[in-house]
Amino acid sequence: DAGVIQSPRHEVTEMGQEVTLRCKPISGHNSLFWYRQTMMRGLELLIYFNNNVPIDDSGMPEDRFSAKMPNASFSTLKIQPSEPRDSAVYFCASSPREGYTFGSGTRLTVV
Amino acid sequence: LAKITQPISMDSYEGQEVNITCSHNNIATNDYITWYQQFPSQGPRFIIQGYKTKVTNEVASLFIPADRKSSTLSLPRVSLSDTAVYYCLVDPSTGANNLFFGTGTRLTVIP
């Protein structure tokens, strides 16, 4: 079991550029979550999917953020255009029910 | 959502037992109590989950009183590698199963 796989591990981009973060959940897990973590705001839930369907995206900060889950083994979080305040660590997690498994995160720096 | 209160930080010496208490006064009937551990530069890791009384696994014990308005995570004989942030969460067992993380408790184990 390779766990939840996120890519890239690190991303540095210039303000205004499009950024795409990727996540491969654990096979068989039917829920997938995107979190953002900063020193100031801690861990924030952005959006989650059940069976590939977005259930709650109320945590998505603004229209610049979008997430998709085209199939059970892949999800993306896109920021377009990116801004310096988007700099954070973005985590993906998946779950069957008990015990969510988090990926190692993508550290995004927008300069 | 249940309001979660836990200490911001704790220090302990190696080899001691550490108890971290979390209060969740308005916990709902269907809610479970879940604890996660997060090391620097890693995603949170599930430690233990319980509904009432006591739960024990190879990592920790979780004590939940009858009124379920608080819970205590007990780490036996901590080592330096237990230095981490510990999050207490109230996790709905049905319906929307999104997790909201609080500020957590930063445990520092001292040699």
Side-chain angles (χ1 to χ4, degrees):
Chain A
D1 180 5
V4 175
I5 300 172
Q6 291 187 246
S7 64
R9 283 300 308 272
H10 303 274
E11 176 81 32
V12 180
T13 190
E14 290 185 345
M15 181 174 64
Q17 296 297 307
E18 177 181 293
V19 175
T20 299
L21 311 180
R22 297 173 176 79
C23 175
K24 177 179 169 53
I26 292 174
S27 178
H29 285 192
N30 59 358
S31 296
L32 183 139
F33 308 79
W34 282 100
Y35 284 85
R36 176 173 69 176
Q37 186 170 38
T38 61
M39 287 293 292
M40 291 296 294
R41 301 172 69 90
L43 271 162
E44 301 173 277
L45 176 65
L46 300 178
I47 185 172
Y48 77 96
F49 297 82
N50 273 352
N51 297 317
N52 312 339
V53 176
I55 301 300
D56 185 354
D57 64 355
S58 60
M60 297 285 261
E62 48 198 275
D63 292 345
R64 298 185 296 106
F65 286 69
S66 63
K68 294 182 180 179
M69 192 165 186
N71 57 61
S73 60
F74 185 65
S75 176
T76 60
L77 177 68
K78 185 178 293 186
I79 308 172
Q80 166 63 20
S82 59
E83 297 181 4
R85 60 191 168 123
D86 301 330
S87 296
V89 180
Y90 290 81
F91 289 105
C92 174
S94 71
S95 170
R97 173 59 199 103
E98 176 185 292
Y100 291 44
T101 301
F102 283 76
S104 298
T106 295
R107 181 175 295 277
L108 172 66
T109 304
V110 183
V111 299
Chain B
L1 292 174
K3 177 176 166 57
I4 305 292
T5 303
Q6 56 183 121
I8 298 288
S9 64
M10 294 179 69
D11 293 339
S12 176
Y13 288 102
E14 270 190 296
Q16 290 189 330
E17 177 184 82
V18 172
N19 295 309
I20 306 175
T21 296
C22 175
S23 70
H24 25 79
N25 288 326
N26 56 337
I27 189 170
T29 302
N30 291 336
D31 289 340
Y32 283 72
I33 298 146
T34 311
W35 285 80
Y36 283 77
Q37 173 191 56
Q38 186 178 25
F39 297 115
S41 302
Q42 295 185 26
R45 182 176 74 104
F46 171 87
I47 301 176
I48 197 166
Q49 184 182 72
Y51 185 81
K52 61 180 179 181
T53 63
K54 177 183 174 182
V55 179
T56 297
N57 61 22
E58 65 277 6
V59 176
S61 294
L62 179 59
F63 298 92
I64 305 168
D67 66 7
R68 304 199 328 118
K69 294 185 177 181
S70 67
S71 60
T72 299
L73 175 73
S74 181
L75 305 172
R77 297 179 299 281
V78 294
S79 64
L80 297 178
S81 62
D82 292 317
T83 294
V85 178
Y86 292 83
Y87 294 95
C88 165
L89 292 91
V90 168
D91 181 7
S93 64
T94 58
N97 56 349
N98 44 312
L99 292 184
F100 291 90
F101 287 77
T103 56
T105 297
R106 183 174 298 277
L107 172 66
T108 301
V109 180
I110 305 164

